[in-house]
Amino acid sequence: MNLIPQILFVLVLASGIGYFARNIKKLIRNIKLGKHIDRNDHPAERWKHMARIALGQQKMVVRPIAGFLHVIVYVGFIIINIEVLEIIIDGIFGTHRIFSFLGGFYDVLIGSFEILAFLVIVAVVIFWIRRNIMRLQRFIKPEMKGWPKNDANIILYFEVVLMLLFLTMNGSDLQLQHLGAEHYTQAGAFPVSQYLLPLFDGLSEGTLIVIERTAWWLHIVGILIFLNYLYFSKHLHILLAFPNTWYANLKPKGGFNNLEAVTKEEQLMMDPDADPFAAAEGDDAEGEPEKFGASDVTDLNQVQLLNAYTCTECGRCTSECPANQTGKKLSPRKIMMDTRDRLEEVGRNIDANNGTFKDDGKQLLDDYITREELWACTTCNACVEACPVSIDPLSIIMDMRRYLVMEQSAAPAELNNMMSNIENNAAPWPFNQMDRLNWKDE
Amino acid sequence: MAAGKSPEVLFWVGCSGSFDDRAKKITKAFVKILNKAGVEFAVLGTEESCTGDPAKRAGNEFLFQMQAMTNIEVMNAYEVKKVVTACPHCFNTLKNEYPSLGGDYDVVHHTQFLKSLLEDGRLTIEGGKFKGKRITFHDPCYLGRANNVYEAPRDLIKKLDAELVEMKNCRKKGLCCGAGGAQMFKEPEKGNKDINIERTEQALETRPDIVAAGCPFCNTMLTDGVKGKEKEEEIEVLDIAELIANADDL
Ligand code: SF4
Ligand code: SF4
């Protein structure tokens, strides 16, 4: 027996999975650069949320056409994994169609994979047309130039090629079954690839085996390449959508977090007996005063960083954003993409400097996200509501505003006016607090 | 409030409701309804301070928490249990952001409160002059998406025997009026349109007689929008409380 293909297969599989594991490790390390946040409360509710939003695709179908097509690709992706399992077992043990002992059920399985593969191709072609020919608004915003645009198309090409390889593999297999070739057991139903048979007509058994083997190998190698492509792509969402929805904010969207460090400081200020040196309590372990708000990715929390890696760049947030709709620079999708890009940059910096970050004179604020974008937000939560994977761009905008105001006193002048009014007369306008009840007698 | 009685609810008037000429009308309309329904309510009057919402949305957590602590001290001293307000921003802040600072109250928006009065039979609503009118409702972000209150205001409008017409962006997909996040207090960033104009256009598409609002800020933005479109002769922008009070000629 010739063991070479099996050994080769195990090597390819191991390196594919090994690289992937390395990427995942890096991903987790980068996310952990963020601040810890406690989001483990209400586990039952969290599982439910994840089941509805990630597994059940509830938000995707809010837009019926894209939602329906996406569900096809998504179901196709999940189901076809059973086929991948068979390929892996066959590859390791040198068997052929190991699951074929399932008999009639196997026919149903293979038959439905084929139909799904066909539907995936149709869906992907429509996706491609929407992006490249119809050029839907949300796919051609400024932040989608360059890599994001190519990334989106590469994913589509990948999916088509993988599905075509799968069908070619099946079609040539079927032809070999007809010819009664050795090893090619009579198994499976081929509702789609049977139409490929005319292509294989008249080919010799040897040629067919080469075609079948090539398609088989390219299919599995393609899948492994795709797996390793994820880390560099918005396609990471196929994995991260699950943890991301689990860690979503389940409280009413209008309630923003109260900064604890501020509460502590204020309590000290209000308490006349407080020991002024106790102020150090609110500071972190190194004794550096706590920084309010965020100017770089490491000031954000881990869920916000996970959000950035999960973003699918679908632009549903941006297309619902009132600021974006009226021509302002702000795009909540860009907030997420910038956060991810900067986090990756910080990660690469750490890799290049033996595990410690070396100041590169850059930060998320100004170098990626401008103040003009931050101040255009109306905090309306439309982006949060629209996101199909429970990302919260607004919380990043708010943390960056906090930095601008509390660390830099850099609010727009009119807002400074408003705030000094509140400070002086307890209202955002210059009215006297004593006149609050005047409406009663007017 | 200072009288030491403990009324059933504290009416949180808010800065707009206290000082803004347009919003004061909403305050008065709501008070008329409360009186008619025989609700014993109190206001903090000169002891009320800004909730701190605009400061918080601007990013000034210090000022926000300062305001919150001042207000919480006052309300806790009066042993306030239930709060009603006609401003969704106050509503949201009091309801979601005060509890962890020590201010835990049962906070409702005035449309929710009016609906409960209706359900308890303490208030009856008649269409009066609004019967058969086309009314479209603008969802305030801080009532709708922020707190998932979509139906209370709509139920009240339907009670007026009016025809409720929805804009293309409504409920969860409601478009902001442009005032939130402290935008009310500054000029917008550079763009090609003002948000309130975009929203007003959506409202006008429904050919309404009345644009109903549930927030003093939205009210201002939409009123400006309707004026900008020179439609103020035909179309009124009214708060739900005003609709109910006016229908009854209170
Ligand atoms: S919350 Fe801000 S970023 Fe999000 S949709 Fe509203 S205005 Fe846009
Ligand atoms: S944040 Fe959500 S809605 Fe916005 S682009 Fe990313 S995945 Fe899409």
Side-chain angles (χ1 to χ4, degrees):
Chain A
M1 206 162 91
N2 188 354
L3 278 175
I4 292 176
Q6 277 166 262
I7 295 169
L8 196 62
F9 182 85
V10 171
L11 286 178
V12 168
L13 186 70
S15 52
I17 292 178
Y19 266 113
F20 178 65
R22 236 181 57 160
N23 287 338
I24 291 293
K25 241 176 84 185
K26 196 174 282 176
L27 181 103
I28 292 173
R29 184 210 55 197
N30 288 354
I31 288 176
K32 287 206 167 144
L33 294 173
K35 289 189 182 153
H36 173 77
I37 172 174
D38 195 15
R39 283 268 175 86
N40 286 311
D41 55 309
H42 301 90
E45 225 179 295
R46 293 190 176 280
W47 285 114
K48 250 185 22 216
H49 185 80
M50 184 174 95
R52 260 190 315 121
I53 307 288
L55 199 65
Q57 306 260 302
Q58 197 192 49
K59 292 255 170 130
M60 280 308 291
V61 291
V62 171
R63 298 193 179 187
I65 300 176
F68 176 68
L69 295 171
H70 187 268
V71 167
I72 291 178
V73 176
Y74 161 76
V75 173
F77 166 79
I78 290 187
I79 308 256
I80 288 170
N81 271 324
I82 305 177
E83 172 67 23
V84 175
L85 185 68
E86 182 180 50
I87 291 183
I88 290 176
I89 297 178
D90 282 347
I92 295 175
F93 298 104
T95 49
H96 187 70
R97 296 198 180 261
I98 183 96
F99 293 161
S100 57
F101 70 87
L102 294 169
F105 183 60
Y106 188 73
D107 294 354
V108 173
L109 274 183
I110 298 293
S112 44
F113 297 161
E114 289 221 335
I115 292 169
L116 272 169
F118 177 72
L119 290 176
V120 168
I121 293 176
V122 173
V124 166
V125 168
I126 301 176
F127 278 148
W128 188 88
I129 292 174
R130 284 161 58 91
R131 255 175 212 276
N132 298 284
I133 301 201
M134 291 163 67
R135 295 170 58 78
L136 296 193
Q137 261 295 317
R138 67 184 157 113
F139 299 133
I140 54 170
K141 296 268 173 188
E143 68 267 23
M144 295 308 285
K145 296 226 167 73
W147 172 245
K149 177 175 184 233
N150 296 338
D151 178 27
N153 282 331
I154 289 172
I155 294 166
L156 297 179
Y157 301 145
F158 240 114
E159 280 167 355
V160 170
V161 170
L162 286 178
M163 292 304 118
L164 286 177
L165 285 169
F166 174 68
L167 292 174
T168 311
M169 174 184 100
N170 278 353
S172 47
D173 194 300
L174 179 60
Q175 180 76 344
L176 284 161
Q177 290 182 23
H178 287 333
L179 295 179
E182 207 187 335
H183 291 309
Y184 289 89
T185 22
Q186 301 279 340
F190 303 92
V192 178
S193 61
Q194 61 180 342
Y195 295 106
L196 298 177
L197 287 191
L199 290 177
F200 304 125
D201 226 15
L203 295 182
S204 72
E205 196 179 300
T207 318
L208 279 169
I209 292 181
V210 170
I211 293 177
E212 194 273 336
R213 285 290 91 189
T214 311
W216 186 94
W217 274 96
L218 287 179
H219 182 62
I220 187 69
V221 170
I223 286 175
L224 289 172
I225 293 175
F226 201 37
L227 187 69
N228 281 288
Y229 177 73
L230 293 186
Y231 178 71
F232 307 95
S233 160
K234 64 160 187 150
H235 217 55
L236 204 44
H237 75 273
I238 62 171
L239 302 175
L240 296 189
F242 293 89
N244 199 69
T245 45
W246 203 86
Y247 286 115
N249 174 26
L250 300 178
K251 301 204 185 103
K253 290 196 224 10
F256 296 1
N257 66 330
N258 292 328
L259 285 186
E260 257 175 63
V262 172
T263 316
K264 274 190 205 145
E265 278 199 27
E266 297 216 343
Q267 276 161 350
L268 281 175
M269 264 160 41
M270 285 164 105
D271 178 1
D273 308 321
D275 167 10
F277 298 104
E281 243 181 80
D283 305 340
D284 63 18
E286 289 107 63
E288 268 182 57
E290 177 130 11
K291 178 168 162 186
F292 298 114
S295 62
D296 208 348
V297 283
T298 44
D299 303 323
L300 296 171
N301 69 48
Q302 295 173 358
V303 171
Q304 288 170 320
L305 299 184
L306 173 64
N307 277 184
Y309 274 123
T310 309
C311 177
T312 73
E313 298 170 14
C314 69
R316 290 174 179 227
C317 52
T318 295
S319 74
E320 300 285 338
C321 172
N324 194 276
Q325 281 178 28
T326 54
K328 318 290 191 287
K329 271 213 184 114
L330 172 64
S331 160
R333 166 172 58 191
K334 178 175 174 292
I335 300 285
M336 301 318 300
M337 293 168 69
D338 285 344
T339 304
R340 176 171 175 174
D341 288 348
R342 172 60 184 159
L343 181 56
E344 274 297 295
E345 186 177 53
V346 170
R348 281 194 302 273
N349 180 313
I350 292 176
D351 290 337
N353 294 297
N354 304 321
T356 45
F357 178 72
K358 203 163 134 238
D359 190 10
D360 58 356
K362 284 208 240 168
Q363 57 175 6
L364 184 61
L365 178 68
D366 297 335
D367 295 311
Y368 286 83
I369 299 174
T370 61
R371 299 164 192 229
E372 181 179 343
E373 292 164 65
L374 296 172
W375 290 117
C377 174
T378 71
T379 70
C380 72
N381 263 308
C383 51
V384 185
E385 175 65 42
C387 180
V389 287
S390 302
I391 288 171
D392 184 352
L394 173 54
S395 70
I396 297 180
I397 296 174
M398 276 316 304
D399 281 341
M400 295 185 74
R401 278 190 183 183
R402 284 170 172 171
Y403 174 82
L404 284 176
V405 171
M406 291 192 284
E407 295 283 347
Q408 305 229 300
S409 308
E414 303 122 300
L415 290 188
N416 279 333
N417 271 342
M418 175 271 286
M419 291 188 281
S420 59
N421 284 329
I422 294 181
E423 232 167 297
N424 299 327
N425 354 296
W429 299 286
F431 292 112
N432 191 322
Q433 191 166 14
M434 286 306 130
D435 295 335
R436 271 203 181 252
L437 209 50
N438 290 3
W439 56 268
K440 194 166 123 283
D441 313 303
E442 278 172 11
Chain B
M1 191 84 207
K5 284 191 287 185
S6 70
E8 85 179 77
V9 65
L10 172 74
F11 171 29
W12 184 275
V13 184
C15 299
S16 271
S18 304
F19 294 121
D20 181 79
D21 285 333
R22 177 68 190 82
K24 278 194 254 183
K25 292 189 188 152
I26 303 172
T27 305
K28 284 188 257 183
F30 183 54
V31 165
K32 280 181 197 160
I33 306 173
L34 291 179
N35 284 333
K36 184 176 172 229
V39 176
E40 262 193 60
F41 69 96
V43 295
L44 289 178
T46 56
E47 288 182 277
E48 188 184 290
S49 297
C50 173
T51 56
D53 161 83
K56 187 170 180 95
R57 310 298 135 179
N60 194 335
E61 190 69 13
F62 273 105
L63 183 52
F64 162 70
Q65 292 200 13
M66 196 76 93
Q67 290 302 114
M69 285 176 192
T70 312
N71 282 320
I72 289 170
E73 211 170 304
V74 174
M75 284 195 280
N76 286 356
Y78 287 122
E79 294 179 14
V80 169
K81 302 260 158 11
K82 190 173 170 107
V83 183
V84 61
T85 173
C87 173
H89 297 267
C90 297
F91 162 70
N92 174 70
T93 304
L94 293 169
K95 171 173 162 285
N96 297 320
E97 293 166 350
Y98 274 34
S100 75
L101 298 172
D104 218 338
Y105 322 105
D106 174 15
V107 187
V108 291
H109 186 242
H110 70 319
T111 56
Q112 294 174 303
F113 191 72
L114 292 173
K115 198 183 160 206
S116 69
L117 290 179
L118 198 70
E119 277 165 0
D120 298 345
R122 295 170 69 184
L123 177 71
T124 49
I125 298 182
E126 268 154 41
K129 64 179 190 180
F130 299 118
K131 214 174 199 145
K133 288 268 159 76
R134 286 172 74 86
I135 302 183
T136 187
F137 177 67
H138 164 77
D139 287 282
C141 302
Y142 276 90
L143 185 65
R145 265 190 304 273
N147 289 293
N148 292 313
V149 179
Y150 299 106
E151 299 313 322
R154 290 183 165 79
D155 290 344
L156 293 170
I157 293 174
K158 286 183 205 146
K159 285 278 177 227
L160 292 167
D161 291 327
E163 188 187 345
L164 176 65
V165 284
E166 296 289 359
M167 292 183 236
K168 75 171 184 218
N169 281 76
C170 65
R171 292 195 172 82
K172 282 186 173 170
K173 284 174 78 92
L175 181 71
C176 178
C177 70
Q183 297 294 345
M184 184 72 187
F185 305 97
K186 62 185 260 299
E187 286 302 313
E189 272 50 46
K190 209 158 66 41
N192 51 31
K193 203 184 216 178
D194 281 340
I195 296 174
N196 66 327
I197 298 295
E198 177 77 21
R199 186 53 164 170
T200 305
E201 285 169 2
Q202 290 192 352
L204 296 183
E205 274 170 26
T206 67
R207 292 176 293 106
D209 299 309
I210 290 155
V211 178
C215 169
F217 293 101
C218 301
N219 196 310
T220 305
M221 296 306 267
L222 295 172
T223 306
D224 287 352
V226 169
K227 274 194 200 133
K229 294 273 164 191
E230 295 178 355
K231 290 277 186 204
E232 71 267 33
E233 300 295 326
E234 304 128 65
I235 298 172
E236 271 188 294
V237 180
L238 291 173
D239 190 87
I240 303 272
E242 292 177 302
L243 285 173
I244 294 172
N246 294 359
D248 224 2
D249 259 333
L250 288 178

